[in-house]
Structures are given as C-alpha cells and as structure tokens.
Amino acid sequence: MVGRWRDGTGTLHVVGGADGADGAEEDREGAEGSAGRAAGLSAGRAAGIPLTIAASYRARARGLLGRNGLTGALLLTPASGVHTFRMRFAIDVAYLDRRLTVVDVHTLRPGRLGRPRLRSRHVLEAEAGALERWGVRRGVRVVIAPGPSTPPPPSVR
C-alpha cells in the first residue's frame, strides 16, 4: 500500500489502461510499489506531470481557491468529491480508486458541485482540457512519484 500521503509535491505519470495493454505489469504489482516504479517508466509511455499533493484537511479545503490557473495537477487525498464554488476557471476532475485507476473523468465549470463517486479515494484536478491531453481517461492507471513533503507545522503547547 502507498501509506499515508503528506502535503507536498510530486510527479504524475500515466502508465496505461485497465485492459492490460499498456500497464499489465503495473496492474499485477498493485499500488505497493508505485513510487519506485515511477523512476523506471519509459519516456515514450508516460509523461512526467508536475503534481501538488493536498493530504491535510487545510490543504484539501484550500484546493484551487484563489488561483487564476494551475500548472500541472492537484491531488486531493482522501477525497471522493469536489466543488468549484468561488473558483475562477473550469477544471477537469479525475476520480481515482485506491489502486490509482481512474474511475471517472468530468469537466466542471465554476460554481458547480461534482457528484461524489463511491469507489473514489483520491481526486485529481487540472485545468480544463489537460487530462485529455495527458491521456487520463476511465480505466487508465496513474503512478505518483512523491517529491519533497512540506514539513508539518510546529505544534503549539
């Protein structure tokens, strides 16, 4: 298993579909070695997309609010649904299951509420049109290579 996610950065790689044509080996291994496999991916099969990971309540609540755009993608974890109230731009939303397989993909305009997906454990957000360019669609598997985490805030006692 991936373990607990932390706020920070990383790289998103699109590795293949659920049919096994592109990612049969990754599907057999499961999510256990996803970070280690990211380094061994061939350049022709997956693109390295800059990723921001929002795992804490505060980071998930903030999300993309107040931003005019997004370079790369934002991973909300754990999450099963999103909204675009008070957002300034349309976004693509990919719902991921616990094995980081895409369950569903939608584009949401500002001021909309996305339906929660029951099997979803993570939500990937990007500017509208980006997920299609990257090849993220239903049934595709993604790999996340975590980067440096932001240190936890100092505790107040």
Side-chain angles (χ1 to χ4, degrees):
M1 185 171 323
V2 173
R4 289 194 72 87
W5 294 89
R6 301 182 134 245
D7 291 345
T9 60
T11 307
L12 176 73
H13 301 274
V14 181
V15 294
D19 59 359
D22 292 343
E25 183 176 328
E26 288 82 10
D27 287 340
R28 281 194 300 272
E29 290 180 23
E32 284 79 17
S34 63
R37 284 194 317 266
L41 295 174
S42 66
R45 203 172 80 187
I49 300 158
L51 179 71
T52 302
I53 301 170
S56 69
Y57 174 78
R58 178 177 278 177
R60 288 191 318 267
R62 170 96 174 136
L64 296 175
L65 296 177
R67 296 189 192 185
N68 290 323
L70 174 66
T71 302
L74 173 69
L75 178 73
L76 304 171
T77 182
S80 61
V82 296
H83 68 83
T84 57
F85 300 122
R86 299 187 314 159
M87 289 189 57
R88 299 175 182 166
F89 57 97
I91 60 171
D92 283 345
V93 178
Y95 300 89
L96 309 174
D97 66 9
R98 69 182 74 225
R99 294 182 50 131
L100 300 179
T101 301
V102 178
V103 174
D104 206 358
V105 178
H106 285 284
T107 300
L108 294 176
R109 293 182 309 194
R112 302 288 190 255
L113 178 65
R115 262 186 17 236
R117 303 305 190 270
L118 295 177
R119 291 182 26 227
S120 176
R121 296 292 182 265
H122 317 281
V123 174
L124 187 66
E125 296 180 344
E127 284 194 13
L131 294 183
E132 185 177 347
R133 283 193 312 270
W134 299 335
V136 176
R137 63 190 180 285
R138 186 181 305 194
V140 165
R141 185 92 181 269
V142 299
V143 173
I144 297 169
S149 297
T150 55
S155 61
V156 178
R157 291 185 181 202

